Amino acid sequence: ICDPSSITSDFENVLLKYSKNGFRVIGCAEKIVTKKSSCHTSYTREEIESNMRFVGFLVFENRLKKQSPRAICQLALAKIQTLMVTGDNILTSICVSRSCGIIKPGEKIYLPSSENSLDNFVDYDSNDSIGFQDLILQPDNITFACTGTFFKLLIASVSSGVSESFVKRCKVFARMSPK
């Protein structure tokens, strides 16, 4: 979408920093569009969304409601499992899940290193990598997070026993779609 020369060298680090701290981040780009000769001619989406110039991020904070952690705690006391299903970025979702108590302090959480592969997972805090087959055999105190794209791949690629084991320990389902 954007001209690579317009993307700063710290793009990934800045995005990671804000996302891991629970902020919603929107990338912004610009493009000068010239008027077509005919007023009845319209642009295609591909024409508009190409050769843009990245100009920066919009960063939003959506604070947790004061009553959310208490409500999550009451559900846990009643032995009701809580999880997050959201359209937000996976890193933002993990941060919010920790803030409201869905993910407990000190609980290890792993997310796919790529949403298009089952091969490796990454520890959210340490960035240590581990293979999916090794991770699924770990004790039950390991928590997972995944995206909708990864979830679809998982369901299509592994046995129902493996997918069930994963889903039982997944507390964050990010970038999910109602479709």
Side-chain angles (χ1 to χ4, degrees):
I1 289 179
C2 287
D3 174 0
S5 68
S6 70
I7 298 173
T8 60
S9 61
D10 64 346
F11 177 94
E12 290 291 332
N13 290 334
V14 171
L15 178 60
L16 185 69
K17 179 183 90 173
Y18 285 121
S19 296
K20 275 194 147 186
N21 283 294
F23 293 98
R24 274 67 175 182
V25 182
I26 298 174
C28 298
E30 69 179 2
K31 178 178 183 172
I32 297 172
V33 180
T34 58
K35 193 175 185 179
K36 287 194 170 186
S37 58
S38 169
C39 62
H40 298 291
T41 305
S42 60
Y43 290 98
T44 65
R45 183 174 183 168
E46 289 76 26
E47 287 176 306
I48 295 294
E49 293 180 356
S50 64
N51 300 316
M52 299 179 84
R53 189 174 74 81
F54 177 75
V55 293
F57 292 113
L58 287 177
V59 180
F60 298 91
E61 180 180 21
N62 188 1
R63 291 198 176 130
L64 204 56
K65 292 183 174 83
K66 288 181 184 179
Q67 63 269 31
S68 294
R70 189 170 15 94
I72 297 297
C73 181
Q74 289 172 338
L75 291 168
L77 290 171
K79 305 285 187 229
I80 297 172
Q81 182 184 8
T82 56
L83 50 93
M84 178 179 287
V85 180
T86 180
D88 285 342
N89 172 291
I90 192 168
L91 300 176
T92 301
S93 303
I94 292 169
C95 179
V96 173
S97 293
R98 281 186 164 166
S99 298
C100 70
I102 290 174
I103 298 172
K104 306 294 181 249
E107 194 171 353
K108 278 208 160 284
I109 185 148
Y110 287 87
L111 58 149
S113 57
S114 166
E115 64 181 8
N116 298 311
S117 169
L118 298 176
D119 293 340
N120 289 303
F121 273 65
V122 176
D123 180 308
Y124 176 81
D125 296 304
S126 70
N127 283 330
D128 290 341
S129 184
I130 186 170
F132 178 69
Q133 294 302 324
D134 295 327
L135 188 58
I136 208 75
L137 299 172
Q138 294 293 316
D140 287 342
N141 62 346
I142 301 270
T143 300
F144 297 122
C146 73
T147 62
T149 300
F150 179 86
F151 185 69
K152 288 177 190 172
L153 175 67
L154 177 80
I155 299 303
S157 303
V158 300
S159 70
S160 60
V162 171
S163 63
E164 185 177 320
S165 175
F166 179 87
V167 169
K168 283 182 178 178
R169 296 193 291 170
C170 192
K171 291 189 176 179
V172 176
F173 295 86
R175 294 278 187 226
M176 297 299 279
S177 164
K179 295 178 184 177

